[in-house]
Amino acid sequence: MLQKSTLEFLTKLKENNDRDWFAANKKAFETEQKLAKTFFISLGEQLGKIDSIERIQIFRIYRDVRFSKDKAPYKNHFSVGFTRNKPMLRGGYYLHIEPGGSFVGGGFWEPNAADLNRIRKEFEMDDEEIRAIIADETFKKFFGELKGEELKTAPKGFDKTHPAIDLIRKKQYLLTRSFSDKEVLAPNFQEEVLVTFQAMRPFFDYMSEVLSTDLNGESIY
């Protein structure tokens, strides 16, 4: 289980996000970081039983402020990402722990140009299967809708009047489910995260097939 003390520390960090306070509370940070890391590793072990995971990345608390207007040196959250085995299995899982802002995420955050174009071409050719996936009751229950940044108009080379333009103009393809602090601290939280990850699988399996084949459905690997 995640601990109440972890959320309390993150709340204090948000209120005192400076190097002096952090240095004075370094031991508390290390304690809470260890608790979160233990939870993340355990989650990864359980996820590995139901999917093929290539990499677990526990993100550092330190922010890169070089190109940001916000110069706060620390993140106000703990987070972890799980990458599926490429190239055949695509998509990634993400867990974000933040007081009042915890969520599970997954999908394609920054697809490279080739992958993004391949996805768009698939939707241009046939959007029936992806429509069925995002209209499914389980999908809508967990994620509501397919999210992500999108262009205001059609990408170059695509018809802005195409019936699938709402999907084609997306730059990201993301799924998210929010959790309250009470849910995060509940004994079954890890199970709920895993169930949420599992609910992403039809979307991941479809996208994996798209990204491992050409437009004729022939494997490219």
Side-chain angles (χ1 to χ4, degrees):
M1 287 178 57
L2 288 169
Q3 302 299 313
K4 184 178 180 181
S5 61
T6 301
L7 297 185
E8 290 174 342
F9 173 81
L10 291 171
T11 297
K12 292 176 183 176
L13 176 59
K14 184 176 182 179
E15 296 169 350
N16 303 275
N17 200 322
D18 63 71
R19 290 181 174 82
D20 290 341
W21 184 91
F22 192 82
N25 291 271
K26 189 69 176 289
K27 287 186 178 180
F29 161 70
E30 291 172 347
T31 297
E32 302 309 329
Q33 181 189 48
K34 185 176 181 180
L35 289 170
K37 184 176 180 180
T38 298
F39 181 89
F40 292 156
I41 291 173
S42 175
L43 177 63
E45 290 172 349
Q46 296 304 311
L47 180 59
K49 295 178 181 179
I50 59 175
D51 201 353
S52 297
I53 301 302
E54 178 180 85
R55 184 166 66 104
I56 299 176
Q57 182 178 7
I58 298 175
F59 296 97
R60 302 177 72 222
I61 198 76
Y62 307 98
R63 296 182 64 247
D64 183 354
V65 300
R66 291 174 298 171
F67 308 106
S68 175
K69 291 181 180 179
D70 179 3
K71 297 302 180 181
Y74 308 105
K75 300 172 185 174
N76 302 317
H77 62 268
F78 290 126
S79 57
V80 61
F82 305 93
T83 304
R84 304 176 80 214
N85 277 318
K86 293 181 179 179
M88 301 304 292
L89 301 181
R90 300 299 185 90
Y93 305 99
Y94 176 77
L95 174 60
H96 180 106
I97 302 299
E98 178 181 356
S102 297
F103 67 91
V104 162
F108 301 82
W109 180 260
E110 291 183 335
N112 62 48
D115 282 354
L116 182 56
N117 187 64
R118 175 67 183 89
I119 293 168
R120 286 170 169 168
K121 286 290 186 182
E122 184 69 25
F123 295 161
E124 180 184 48
M125 185 172 66
D126 181 9
D127 66 339
E128 184 176 345
E129 190 168 353
I130 184 62
R131 297 284 187 196
I133 290 170
I134 63 179
D136 181 79
E137 281 187 24
T138 300
F139 184 98
K140 295 179 77 68
K141 172 186 173 183
F142 281 93
F143 312 115
E145 62 183 3
L146 187 60
K147 303 176 181 72
E149 292 182 6
E150 54 187 52
L151 300 171
K152 292 182 178 180
T153 185
K156 185 177 180 180
F158 291 87
D159 182 359
K160 65 181 180 180
T161 65
H162 192 283
I165 195 60
D166 59 316
L167 298 170
I168 292 170
R169 70 186 180 197
K170 284 187 176 296
K171 299 187 291 181
Q172 304 170 318
Y173 298 91
L174 305 176
L175 317 178
T176 62
R177 178 190 178 188
S178 298
F179 288 89
S180 67
D181 292 353
K182 183 178 179 180
E183 290 171 322
V184 167
L185 299 178
N188 69 336
F189 179 59
Q190 187 174 107
E191 181 181 343
E192 278 298 308
V193 173
L194 288 168
V195 168
T196 307
F197 285 163
Q198 283 183 295
M200 297 179 182
R201 284 293 296 277
F203 174 69
F204 282 178
D205 291 345
Y206 166 76
M207 294 290 263
S208 294
E209 183 177 356
V210 168
L211 293 172
S212 61
T213 60
D214 60 23
L215 287 171
N216 294 316
E218 299 292 331
S219 174
I220 58 176
Y221 298 106

